[in-house]
Amino acid sequence: MDATEPQPQPSRSLVRRAWVALTTVLPTGALVLASLTFAGYAMGLVRDRLFARTFGAGPELDAYNAAFVLPELALDVLVAGGLVAPFVPVFIGLRGEADETARAFGRTILTLAVTVMAVASGLLFVFAPQTVNLIAPGFDASQRELYTGLFRVMCLTPVIFAGSIVLGEILVAERRFLAYGLAPLMYNGGIVLGTVVLAERMGIYGAAIGAVIGALAHLGIRLLGIWRTRFRPRPSLALRTRGVGSFLRLMAPKMISHPIEPLTFLYFTALASTLVPGSVSSVSFARNFQSVPVSLIGASFAIAAFPVLSAAAAAGDRRGFGRIFATNLATIAVLSTCAAVGLLVLGGLVIRLFLGGGAFDDEDIARTSTVLAVFALSIPLESLTHLLSRALYATRNTILPTIASVAGFATTVLAAGRLAPTIGLAAIPLGFTLGMGVKVAIMSVVLVPRIARIGVATEAPDGPGGAGTSSASGSRRSRSPSPVRRRAAQAVLGLALVALVVGALRAGSDALGGATLAVAPVVTPWARQNSPALEPSIVPIRSPLPTTSALPSGSVGPSHSPGPPAPTPTPGPFAMDLYQAGDYVEELRDVWCLPAAMQTSMNIMDAGADTTRATQARLFSLARSIDPAPDGAAEPEAWAKGLTELGYGGYQVSIQPSIKAAIHLAARQIRLTNRPAGLMVWKGAHSWVMSGFNATADPAVTDSFTVTSVRIEDVWYPRLSTIWGYSRKPDASVPVSALPEDFLPWKRPLGSYPKKDGNFVIIIPVV
């Protein structure tokens, strides 16, 4: 060898091969999408924290969130639900034949999407006041007015998003993933900007205008990305353009399957509400954590592979299709399995780190960690569904993924419902995992023959000369089916579609069957076994201990079991607490403190706990019907009469001249009845439940005792009052010496209360 010849450099060749292998397994587009998806999650967290600090969990934010529901639903059903699956394969197929045809198709679909959404948004804008009865029937007059105004602002965003979604699909087809992935980040950034800049002057409308700004930014970044392609958006309604009919036929099945995911989690909410208190929140929190790796890995890699799969299918490149699919399948399977194992091992730590503290105690952490551990099993399966469904879409089939989705949904509902009585809350994530497994199995089975048919030419019917023609990309020939076989296939397909629609409706009906909000307040075991006293009265203290006949004929004790025994004398200092974890319910609207206190009191007396909004709303209506207050709330008499009418034993309002006298009486009645009392704090503006106390002696033995501290449930928790400060967590022990900070003499700005003014008002259980 000549010494002057360049020597081979094996190290560079090895590095290059390693780099090629790495970019094959981890394509740049997928990494870009995963990074931007993570950034979108982070910006969403910033948005939520900003909302919490700026508006709190109050009526303004309720109205804002409610105003989103219908516009978003209209966008999902009319545009997003059906457009995502068929657009890219059709667009890429047309582009392979004639660029101008593909561009004409894109402009037509863009115009159709924006036009349909504009008409729908216009109707929603006009009928905005009527929609509040559907979305938020419990809103009061001021919230209804706020909702209507916010709703009309929100009606602008679906029209903007309709255009942005179509442009996003073109960007996916062109493999411009940076502009595509930046859009959600820009949207949340717009909301944050509007809130920071405008909230001080415009209140919650600042966030609504921020949503419009964010939608425009979402569209704007995609327009910038489109400008780097040969597609130029402009109005065009060329319905006869090739591909439009095929697109609309492929769109219909996808629209059927689109509601399945929200139906699934609506069913989970309904099922969880029948289990231990806190189950609904645990499922929601666990699902939020489980969905992160699914989005970062499954969705990102599948979206990045989608245009390449579609191009290979359109070109008849079966080998290329199989190679791309297999590579992404292996990558998603390995990475998502690692993520699942990570959550199995570290899930408890993650839950404690991000959610633990305050009212979210060790029991909540343990329950949520268990749900997350089971949910983690579904991460690889759900991640694979993204790739499998897009592989089927690339072969221009949307019926088979829809069938798989319906079958998976039915499996989830059946499995969760059957397993719940046996394994409890774990049945929900386990049912979801089984449903994902069925979905993956069905799509895998039906995808194999479709891959095998890629590149197979279909011979045209014989012409006058007797010679057929075939696609240049085809490697084999097959005869065109006869008209009879074609009609038979169409009939079978029609029957399959009918069965699919019926199955989807049936499964949806089963899912919604337990999700009704028309839930009456639960009846306590005490109330089922005993009639309330006809003439309530306060039990006098006698010595020796009052006989059983002087006590209530039945009540619920700290163990939540019906029919308590008579109080047993306890010498020396005495303490009792009726509260159990899960009994607490916060007030869900500013004027609902009294019904929230009623609901918490009922839970303390019940064998179970009902924490639903529907029950609190019903209790508010009941309280207002009994004794409404001038400020839109209810008077304490409604609390006492309401619990009595609902069968929770006798209750009555007592007015005392001092805190000492009020607490002394409340403690004595709690001890003698084993039922909670109530305190009207903040000068009568707010309600606390008193579930227990510490005293120097047993009130069942003597009236000569002093209460040193009380156990309270402040239904304002965990919010902050600008006047009264932070609320105490449920079952807080409050020294009697600290009560004057909150428990102040009655003084209301509206109405006249000559007996209550200057005194301390309590609600006490009586015989």
Side-chain angles (χ1 to χ4, degrees):
M1 179 181 295
D2 192 325
T4 61
E5 288 184 13
Q7 299 298 312
Q9 298 179 344
S11 59
R12 289 188 180 181
S13 177
L14 183 62
V15 170
R16 171 176 256 177
R17 285 199 299 269
W19 175 254
V20 170
L22 182 63
T23 54
T24 300
V25 175
L26 300 173
T28 304
L31 295 178
V32 168
L33 285 174
S35 300
L36 293 175
T37 299
F38 184 80
Y41 274 111
M43 185 60 74
L45 179 61
V46 171
R47 176 203 61 201
D48 291 345
R49 288 180 65 86
L50 182 62
F51 279 177
R53 293 173 180 270
T54 306
F55 306 111
E60 282 190 320
L61 198 56
D62 283 350
Y64 175 86
N65 289 325
F68 266 102
V69 174
L70 269 184
E72 283 191 348
L73 180 62
L75 178 68
D76 283 347
V77 171
L78 297 176
V79 176
L83 186 142
V84 172
F87 185 91
V88 170
V90 174
F91 182 83
I92 289 178
L94 293 172
R95 192 180 60 183
E97 300 173 10
D99 269 354
E100 186 51 43
T101 302
R103 290 194 289 269
F105 165 78
R107 285 191 288 267
T108 298
I109 299 303
L110 175 63
T111 305
L112 275 174
V114 174
T115 301
V116 168
M117 204 63 250
V119 171
S121 293
L123 292 173
L124 290 175
F125 186 93
V126 172
F127 294 104
Q130 286 72 39
T131 65
V132 69
N133 291 324
L134 175 66
I135 301 301
F139 280 2
D140 57 26
S142 62
Q143 272 189 295
R144 285 170 176 259
E145 183 179 355
L146 180 60
Y147 164 89
T148 301
L150 293 169
F151 184 93
R152 284 176 166 157
V153 174
M154 299 302 180
C155 284
L156 297 172
T157 59
V159 182
I160 301 168
F161 277 124
S164 187
I165 288 170
V166 178
L167 295 180
E169 293 307 298
I170 295 172
L171 288 171
V172 169
E174 298 284 352
R175 303 181 69 183
R176 301 282 182 176
F177 298 119
L178 180 61
Y180 176 86
L182 275 172
L185 181 63
M186 301 294 288
Y187 174 60
N188 282 329
I191 297 176
V192 169
L193 177 65
T195 304
V196 170
V197 175
L198 301 175
E200 187 174 347
R201 289 177 292 171
M202 304 180 65
I204 196 67
Y205 278 99
I209 293 173
V212 177
I213 295 171
L216 290 171
H218 191 284
L219 174 63
I221 195 66
R222 288 186 171 176
L223 280 171
L224 288 176
I226 285 291
W227 219 253
R228 300 187 65 184
T229 71
R230 286 184 290 180
F231 181 84
R232 293 295 177 265
R234 63 173 182 266
S236 175
L237 207 57
L239 297 178
R240 294 184 180 275
T241 300
R242 188 178 177 188
V244 173
S246 176
F247 169 82
L248 295 176
R249 285 193 299 272
L250 291 170
M251 184 176 181
K254 184 62 174 69
M255 292 179 70
I256 293 173
S257 67
H258 190 69
I260 285 179
E261 182 175 355
L263 274 176
T264 299
F265 287 94
L266 179 60
Y267 171 70
F268 285 169
T269 300
L271 181 59
S273 67
T274 68
L275 303 174
V276 297
S279 294
V280 173
S281 297
S282 291
V283 170
S284 177
F285 286 134
R287 169 60 178 174
N288 289 341
F289 283 104
Q290 180 265 359
S291 66
V292 173
V294 173
S295 297
L296 296 181
I297 300 168
S300 296
F301 279 81
I303 291 171
F306 192 22
V308 188
L309 291 172
S310 299
D317 183 5
R318 182 173 66 251
R319 182 171 295 179
F321 186 100
R323 184 178 63 254
I324 297 161
F325 175 77
T327 300
N328 282 276
L329 182 74
T331 302
I332 291 173
V334 170
L335 293 180
S336 60
T337 300
C338 291
V341 172
L343 275 184
L344 277 171
V345 174
L346 302 174
L349 178 62
V350 170
I351 295 296
R352 183 176 296 278
L353 178 64
F354 284 93
L355 303 178
F360 202 82
D361 57 22
D362 288 342
E363 182 181 347
D364 298 323
I365 292 171
R367 182 176 57 249
T368 306
S369 299
T370 300
V371 176
L372 178 58
V374 184
F375 255 135
L377 301 176
S378 68
I379 290 174
L381 296 170
E382 189 179 5
S383 297
L384 289 175
T385 63
H386 287 278
L387 179 66
L388 289 166
S389 60
R390 282 176 171 80
L392 286 166
Y393 298 153
T395 66
R396 299 199 183 190
N397 189 293
T398 54
I399 293 177
L400 295 175
T402 300
I403 292 173
S405 295
V406 172
F409 175 53
T411 302
T412 296
V413 171
L414 180 63
R418 292 291 177 86
L419 292 172
T422 305
I423 63 175
L425 188 57
I428 290 177
L430 184 57
F432 183 73
T433 302
L434 294 174
M436 287 295 107
V438 168
K439 188 175 178 180
V440 167
I442 292 175
M443 286 197 289
S444 299
V445 169
V446 299
L447 180 61
V448 172
R450 293 197 67 81
I451 295 177
R453 286 197 293 271
I454 294 175
V456 176
T458 301
E459 188 177 82
D462 289 344
T469 59
S470 64
S471 170
S473 63
S475 59
R476 292 183 293 172
R477 296 174 182 269
S478 62
R479 293 182 179 179
S480 177
S482 66
V484 174
R485 292 180 63 186
R486 189 183 299 113
R487 284 194 293 270
Q490 290 172 347
V492 171
L493 180 60
L495 289 174
L497 283 174
V498 171
L500 181 63
V501 172
V502 172
L505 291 175
R506 177 62 183 272
S509 176
D510 291 343
L512 290 170
T516 175
L517 295 179
V519 181
V522 293
V523 179
T524 69
W526 187 93
R528 284 201 297 267
Q529 297 183 20
N530 304 274
S531 300
L534 296 178
E535 294 293 333
S537 60
I538 299 175
V539 179
I541 289 295
R542 301 193 302 271
S543 184
L545 176 71
T547 62
T548 303
S549 60
L551 299 169
S553 56
S555 63
V556 176
S559 64
H560 289 218
S561 59
T568 301
T570 301
F574 178 83
M576 69 178 294
D577 188 10
L578 304 176
Y579 180 87
Q580 286 189 352
D583 290 340
Y584 173 76
V585 187
E586 69 175 301
E587 61 178 298
L588 300 177
R589 289 179 54 193
D590 288 350
V591 293
W592 284 8
C593 68
L594 190 140
M598 292 175 64
Q599 193 175 10
T600 300
S601 300
M602 291 158 60
N603 289 342
I604 291 172
M605 292 182 280
D606 280 338
D610 180 350
T611 60
T612 62
R613 182 186 183 95
T615 295
Q616 194 169 129
R618 290 169 67 91
L619 290 172
F620 176 71
S621 298
L622 173 64
R624 289 282 295 173
S625 69
I626 294 174
D627 201 347
D631 60 358
E635 300 291 1
E637 285 77 4
W639 182 348
K641 294 178 182 178
L643 289 181
T644 302
E645 288 183 10
L646 290 172
Y648 288 83
Y651 272 85
Q652 68 183 35
V653 174
S654 177
I655 300 171
Q656 298 296 320
S658 66
I659 290 179
K660 181 180 179 180
I663 296 302
H664 187 277
L665 177 59
R668 183 161 67 96
Q669 294 306 115
I670 291 172
R671 169 60 169 147
L672 296 179
T673 64
N674 271 345
R675 288 181 280 144
L679 310 179
M680 299 305 299
V681 298
W682 300 0
K683 300 182 179 180
H686 189 50
S687 307
W688 280 2
V689 177
M690 178 175 164
S691 60
F693 60 93
N694 283 45
T696 57
D698 185 352
V701 177
T702 176
D703 202 31
S704 298
F705 66 89
T706 300
V707 179
T708 56
S709 65
V710 297
R711 293 277 184 173
I712 63 100
E713 288 73 52
D714 180 358
V715 294
W716 187 253
Y717 181 85
R719 288 179 283 178
L720 167 69
S721 168
T722 56
I723 300 175
W724 306 99
Y726 283 101
S727 299
R728 296 175 175 88
K729 67 179 183 179
D731 202 32
S733 179
V734 182
V736 172
S737 59
L739 283 177
E741 297 174 6
D742 300 279
F743 194 17
L744 297 172
W746 181 284
K747 185 63 178 177
R748 306 300 300 129
L750 300 176
S752 176
Y753 305 91
K755 293 183 179 179
K756 295 176 183 174
D757 284 344
N759 292 312
F760 297 85
V761 179
I762 57 175
I763 295 86
I764 53 173
V766 294
V767 177

